Amino acid sequence: MGFSQAQKKAVTHGTGPCQVLAGPGSGKTLTIVNRIRYLIEECHVRPEEILVVTFTRFAAAEMKERLSGLMGKKNIPVTAGTFHGIYYGILKWAYRFGPENILSEEEKYQLLRMTIGRQELELSDEEDFLKDVAEEIGKVKNNRIDIQEFVSSKCSAETFRDIYREYEKERKALRKIDFDDMLVVCYELFAARPDVLAQWQKKFRYILVDEFQDINRVQYDVLRMLALPENNLFVVGDDDQAIYGFRGADPEIMFRFGKDYPGAEQILLDVNYRSTSNIVANSLKVIGNNERRFDKKIQAVRDKGDFLHIQELKDPNEEAEYVADEIAKRIDRGVPAEDIAVLFRIHTDARPVTEELIRRKLPFQMREHLPNLYDHFIAKDIRAYFHLATGEISRGDMLRVMNRPKRYIGRDSLAEGASFEEMRKFYCDKDWMLDRIDQFEWDVKMLSRMAPYAAVQYIRKRIGYDDFLKDYAYANRIERADLNEVLSEIEEAARPYTTVEEWFCHIEEYTEALKRKERQKDLPGEGVRLMTLHAAKGLEFDTVFLIGANEGRMPYKKAVTEKEEEEERRLFYVGMTRAENVLRICYVKEKNGKGAEPSRFVDELLEEG
């Protein structure tokens, strides 16, 4: 493949700062690798003086491999690695750091667990809270935010500050740094020791950065220090693919680059080699609605190809059947299953499709951990009620639901055995308690005569489980809507089954299949790719199904500001541009028994002009 004019210009850029805007399928890696070769062969730059920074170790390894292939040599001594890997290397050299100085993820979570435990917080899901707080601590460090100014979205500002300070105190007592500290400590080293900085500036005279839109404040600050005084900083990225704001990435840095380096050359790789021109034109139609972006005219080299297909479906079950049908057709036409992807906004959206693929024995694989809906505490409560209804009365199930909703039945009432009779014996002198136990038993008997879907509705409305969830959400300071969504999802999942036994059998099969896929997720395997839009970035497929394109999902309901909506639109654009030949976008008219609207991004696609 020859170079386009823009690629040639980027490859042969001389000295000084340069910003390359590289859209999807524009030959970004090819351009970077050929620029490295140009520097070595044409500009006679020593390979040891070149630093290539990527966001994953896989990307760094691929870059080195492609460079070796291009230059016909092995072990070209260009330094290529992630921000963390490179900055850790600098700290190793400066402070003689070794693995013993690094806080492992496991140790980090142990410290956080201990720190959070001292706060005496009521948490519905400690693991989720731990993960969220760890992410926020990273955000504080990566963006060098004053802890006094940071507002946590997971707990009160005061609680977060206490957790942060306690965690930092414990970490320092162990004389260790965590993953995020590598960047901060490197910045502090360079700021305090100009002599050390000068040595590294001399070593890395040419710096190339991939995926520049994903950079955060501290990474950028260290890069700027390193690039001085020559400022041979060559950054490649796409502001339209900046989708990691929630991780602390700051896409505004792309817009700041021109102000920080007023003489910087800006080059647009304006040709998409990946997708048909219909896919390119439609994706630009959506992303063009974002206000904060570089204006780009992207052209496709490929012909029009299939028309973009937007499919309206009744509900997620019908959507799953449609997607499975279309996957089977594509496979019949000779498209490898591995070259087909089903993309979704959040993990729970994948459940109906996953169940349908399992039912039809169509091969699939997951790129990420897919949480099992039936492992949620609400699902466990429903199943406990069903166990009691089928006569499988165990103490564990009885204890689990006897106060969901509140019946004020004490644990002691089950000390002698698990039965309604034992409860009655315990409360024999309290008529009002006997009435409650009678009602509890009557409700369980009623459930035994119902199909699963009707039984879940009975538990929700007649038994009062919805009211229990309302109180639970309030007491644990969590979104009631999130819990209601899980419960509605379980209710919907139960709909196709006529007996509890049949439904339990399905749950077991589904759970086992998910465990099997989880074990295989890091192995190269066969089957359709299932993944979130975030995980799909950087990948490409012959055929892409973008499911759940409804308001509340795309954009996600928690994206309320204009800035957040623009990131959601970029995420939708990333999903669209993964497709090479066929793109199917699906939305439903009804979800969990309620009406659903197509995404505003779908509306933008349907607009004339």
Side-chain angles (χ1 to χ4, degrees), residues 114 126 166 170 250 286 435 441-442 444 468 541 579 608:
M114 189 170 69
E126 188 188 28
E166 186 72 22
E170 295 289 345
D250 184 1
V286 173
D435 288 345
E441 186 175 23
W442 170 256
V444 165
F468 157 71
F541 304 94
E608 290 298 320

Side-chain angles (χ1 to χ4, degrees), residues 357-375:
L357 294 177
I358 289 169
R359 193 178 70 75
R360 297 192 190 200
K361 297 190 167 41
L362 280 167
F364 71 93
Q365 53 180 300
M366 305 178 307
R367 189 175 166 89
E368 311 136 280
H369 167 67
L370 193 63
N372 185 352
L373 174 72
Y374 304 114
D375 282 342

Side-chain angles (χ1 to χ4, degrees), residues 423-483:
M423 283 183 186
R424 287 194 190 89
K425 277 185 201 168
F426 188 82
Y427 288 111
C428 59
D429 56 343
K430 295 181 176 67
D431 290 348
W432 72 92
M433 284 304 295
L434 293 174
D435 288 345
R436 282 178 185 161
I437 294 162
D438 287 347
Q439 183 62 49
F440 184 13
E441 186 175 23
W442 170 256
D443 284 332
V444 165
K445 275 184 182 155
M446 288 298 290
L447 291 176
S448 69
R449 300 169 191 165
M450 297 177 185
Y453 180 70
V456 176
Q457 290 181 315
Y458 187 90
I459 291 167
R460 292 185 71 167
K461 307 299 178 194
R462 294 295 297 274
I463 293 179
Y465 193 82
D466 277 359
D467 294 332
F468 157 71
L469 276 192
K470 179 183 169 185
D471 296 340
Y472 184 92
Y474 178 78
N476 290 283
R477 296 173 71 184
I478 52 180
E479 288 279 338
R480 182 185 170 191
D482 291 346
L483 296 180

Side-chain angles (χ1 to χ4, degrees), residues 103-127:
L103 196 71
S104 70
E105 283 297 286
E106 195 181 327
E107 290 173 313
K108 177 180 181 172
Y109 278 94
Q110 276 174 357
L111 283 191
L112 279 173
R113 200 171 274 112
M114 189 170 69
T115 306
I116 289 164
R118 291 182 192 137
Q119 296 294 317
E120 295 182 0
L121 300 170
E122 280 211 29
L123 303 170
S124 61
D125 191 325
E126 188 188 28
E127 289 309 306

Side-chain angles (χ1 to χ4, degrees), residues 345-411:
R345 177 60 181 86
I346 63 167
H347 292 110
T348 51
D349 293 339
R351 197 262 318 155
V353 171
T354 310
E355 292 192 348
E356 188 63 21
L357 294 177
I358 289 169
R359 193 178 70 75
R360 297 192 190 200
K361 297 190 167 41
L362 280 167
F364 71 93
Q365 53 180 300
M366 305 178 307
R367 189 175 166 89
E368 311 136 280
H369 167 67
L370 193 63
N372 185 352
L373 174 72
Y374 304 114
D375 282 342
H376 197 282
F377 83 83
I378 294 174
K380 288 176 180 174
D381 289 352
I382 300 294
R383 288 166 74 182
Y385 266 115
F386 282 12
H387 281 137
L388 299 181
T390 55
E392 292 178 38
I393 297 182
S394 73
R395 188 167 186 271
D397 285 332
M398 197 71 106
L399 286 171
R400 184 168 193 98
V401 295
M402 66 188 190
N403 286 308
R404 295 187 170 194
K406 204 78 179 149
R407 297 182 179 95
Y408 301 96
I409 302 171
R411 293 175 71 89

Side-chain angles (χ1 to χ4, degrees), residues 14 57 78 130 228 235 237 258 282 286 292 309 320 325 358 363 457 489 495 509 525 528 586:
R57 281 181 296 187
V78 166
L130 271 171
L228 288 166
V235 301
N282 279 294
V286 173
R292 188 71 167 134
H309 186 86
D325 285 343
I358 289 169
Q457 290 181 315
E489 188 81 23
R495 193 192 282 270
E509 186 185 339
V528 176
C586 307

